[in-house]
DNA sequence: CTCACACTTCAACAATTGTTGAATAACGAC
DNA sequence: GTCGTTATTCAACAATTGTTGAAGTGTGAG
C-alpha cells in the first residue's frame, strides 16, 4: 500500500519549506516532488497557508506533551530543580528527536527555525503553539533562580531560543568558519554544549545570591 | 535636491527585505514604495539578486572596519583581554548603531538576520562578508581562554550568533510571551544582558582552569 | 447494480513575477 | 547650441504564481 497522497504532500512541503521558507517554495514544486496534482492542496488543506498551518500544528501537540513530561520528570525529582536540568529537559527532547528518531523531525525543526525568525508573522505563530509550554519552563527556572528579575529571565529565554533557532536552521556556516572542524548538522555536538552554555548564561544574569553547592551532573 | 532614485530603491529594498525576506518581496513592491520605475533595478543593479547583494555588501565594509577597530582598542589595553571585553567589542558596535544612529541600520541588521538564518544560501553569504572579522574575535577569545578546545569555541560563537540573529529579526514574540514586560525592539535591554550572558557561556565551555581574579568591569 | 462519498485529475483562470529592448529625458562638457 | 553619457520611462515579454470548477475515478454499503 503506497503512502496516501495527502501525506506525501505534507512530507515534501515540510522538507521544502524548511529549506527555503514559505515564499521560497511554490505549490507546484511541492506537488511535483510529491508526485501529485496541485489541486490536491486545495482539497486537503484549503490553500497554501492552510498547508503551512497544518505542518506547524500537526507535530506541535505531541512535542509539547513530550517536553512537558520531561519537565515533570525533572520536577518530580527535585523542585526547585537545578538550572541545568530544566534547560536540559527543554532541549533534550528536540535534539534527541533529530539525532536518533524519524529524520523528518529534522525538517520540522527547520520549519520552526524559519517561523521563529520571521519578523512578519513568526512571533505570533510561535506564541500560538508554544507559549504555554515556555511559561512552564520559565516558572521552573524562576524557582531555580530565586529573586531574579522577570525581564532578565525572558531575555535569557530569548537568547536561548535564538541559539536553538540558528542550530535548526542548519545553514552550514559553521562548517566553513571552523575550517571543517564543526558541522552544522552535528546535533550531538550541539547537544553536549548548548545546555552548559545556556545554563551559565541564566546563572550569570538571574542568579542573585552565590550558593555554596554548585554540584552539576 | 531630492534623493537620487537609486538610493530610494536601496532604502525601500532594505526595509522590505528585512521584514519579509528575499522571496517575500517583489521588485514592483519595492519600486512602488520608492516611487520609481521597475526597470531601474536592472539599470542600477542588474537584477533582483544584484540588488540584494548590493544591500548586503554596501554596509559590510564600514561595519567590519568599525568592529575591527573596537577589538583593536580592547587589545591595546590588554592582551589577552577579558572575555567580557572581547564579546562587548563585537556586540557593542551593532547595538549602538541601532539605538542611537541612523535608524536605517536597523533594517540592515534585520536583513543580516534573514540572511544568517537562511539555510539555502545564507551561510555562504555571511561567510563571504564576515568570516575574517569573526576569526579575529575568536582568536582574541582563544587567548583569553587558554587551552580551550577550538570546536567548543566555534560552537559558542554559533550560539552567540543565533542570539544576535533572533534579536535583530525583531519578531515581537517576547512582547507577548513576557506579557508586555519586554519589547523585541528594546535593543538597550538586549545590550545590557547579551554580553554577560554570552561571556558566561564562553567561560562555562571554554575556560579550562579556574582563575583567581574574576574582576569584571 | 447503484448510489453516495472521498479522492484525484484536468484544464484553465486572472494576477503577478523577474526581466528586457527601445524610446525618452536630463545634464554636464565642449 | 551639440553631443555623449547617464538616468529614467514605457510597454511588453514569457513564465510562474495560487486558486478553482467541473469532470473523472475509486471504493464500500445497501
Amino acid at each position: 500500500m503506497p503512502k496516501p497522497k495527502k501525506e506525501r504532500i505534507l512530507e515534501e512541503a515540510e522538507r521544502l519549506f524548511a529549506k527555503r521558507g514559505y515564499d521560497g517554495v511554490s505549490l507546484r514544486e511541492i506537488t511535483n516532488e510529491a508526485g501529485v496534482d496541485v489541486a490536491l492542496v486545495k482539497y486537503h488543506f484549503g490553500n497554501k497557508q492552510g498547508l503551512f498551518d497544518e505542518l506547524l500544528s500537526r507535530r506541535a501537540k505531541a512535542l509539547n506533551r513530550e517536553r512537558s513530561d520531561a519537565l515533570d520528570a525533572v520536577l518530580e525529582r527535585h523542585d526547585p530543580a537545578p538550572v541545568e536540568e530544566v534547560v536540559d529537559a527543554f532541549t533534550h527532547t528536540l535534539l534527541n528527536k533529530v539525532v536518533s528518531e524519524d529524520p523528518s523531525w529534522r525538517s520540522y525543526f527547520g520549519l520552526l527555525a524559519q517561523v521563529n525568525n520571521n519578523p512578519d508573522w513568526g512571533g505570533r505563530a510561535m506564541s500560538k503553539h508554544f507559549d504555554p509550554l515556555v511559561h512552564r519552563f520559565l516558572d521552573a527556572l524562576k524557582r531555580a533562580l530565586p529573586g531574579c528579575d522577570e525581564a532578565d529571565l525572558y531575555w535569557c529565554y530569548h537568547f536561548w531560543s535564538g541559539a536553538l533557532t540558528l542550530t535548526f536552521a542548519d545553514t552550514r556556516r559553521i562548517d566553513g568558519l571552523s575550517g571543517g572542524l564543526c558541522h552544522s548538522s552535528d546535533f550531538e555536538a550541539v547537544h553536549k554544549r548548548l545546555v552548559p552554555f545556556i545554563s551559565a548564561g541564566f546563572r550569570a544574569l538571574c542568579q542573585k545570591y552565590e550558593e555554596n553547592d554548585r554540584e552539576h551532573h
Side-chain angles (χ1 to χ4, degrees), chain A residues 82-150:
Chain A
V83 175
E84 272 76 8
E85 297 206 17
V86 180
V87 171
D88 184 65
F90 190 85
T91 312
H92 186 263
T93 318
L94 302 180
L95 291 167
N96 263 12
K97 285 205 169 309
V98 172
V99 170
S100 52
E101 283 186 53
D102 179 359
S104 66
W105 275 100
R106 182 161 152 181
S107 290
Y108 181 66
F109 295 130
L111 200 77
L112 288 187
Q114 296 271 359
V115 174
N116 197 38
N117 205 59
N118 182 309
D120 206 22
W121 41 267
R124 258 173 297 138
M126 290 300 291
S127 284
K128 178 181 164 192
H129 291 106
F130 300 109
D131 271 8
L133 179 78
V134 173
H135 275 130
R136 281 211 63 202
F137 276 85
L138 290 184
D139 283 344
L141 284 166
K142 191 153 66 173
R143 289 195 300 278
L145 299 157
C148 79
D149 182 59
E150 286 223 22

Side-chain angles (χ1 to χ4, degrees), chain A residues 18-19 94-95 98-99 106-107 109-110 113 162-194:
Chain A
K19 191 169 290 184
L94 302 180
L95 291 167
V98 172
V99 170
R106 182 161 152 181
S107 290
F109 295 130
L164 265 173
T165 297
L166 185 59
T167 296
F168 288 128
D170 194 11
T171 67
R172 298 183 305 287
R173 184 186 176 196
I174 200 176
D175 300 44
L177 182 68
S178 70
L181 205 63
C182 307
H183 295 284
S184 161
S185 55
D186 182 359
F187 297 102
E188 299 220 48
V190 173
H191 192 12
K192 270 196 297 213
R193 294 168 173 94
L194 186 60

Side-chain angles (χ1 to χ4, degrees), chain A residues 147-165:
Chain A
C148 79
D149 182 59
E150 286 223 22
D152 286 339
L153 207 69
Y154 284 113
W155 281 116
C156 284
Y157 171 74
H158 171 84
F159 301 146
W160 184 8
S161 174
L164 265 173
T165 297

Side-chain angles (χ1 to χ4, degrees), chain A residues 37-63:
Chain A
D37 193 279
V38 221
L40 276 186
V41 173
K42 179 190 164 73
Y43 178 73
H44 285 298
F45 310 103
N47 53 26
K48 188 183 185 183
Q49 186 65 51
L51 167 58
F52 194 87
D53 290 345
E54 170 65 18
L55 281 174
L56 218 52
S57 50
R58 69 170 179 154
R59 289 191 142 108
K61 200 174 174 182
L63 186 60

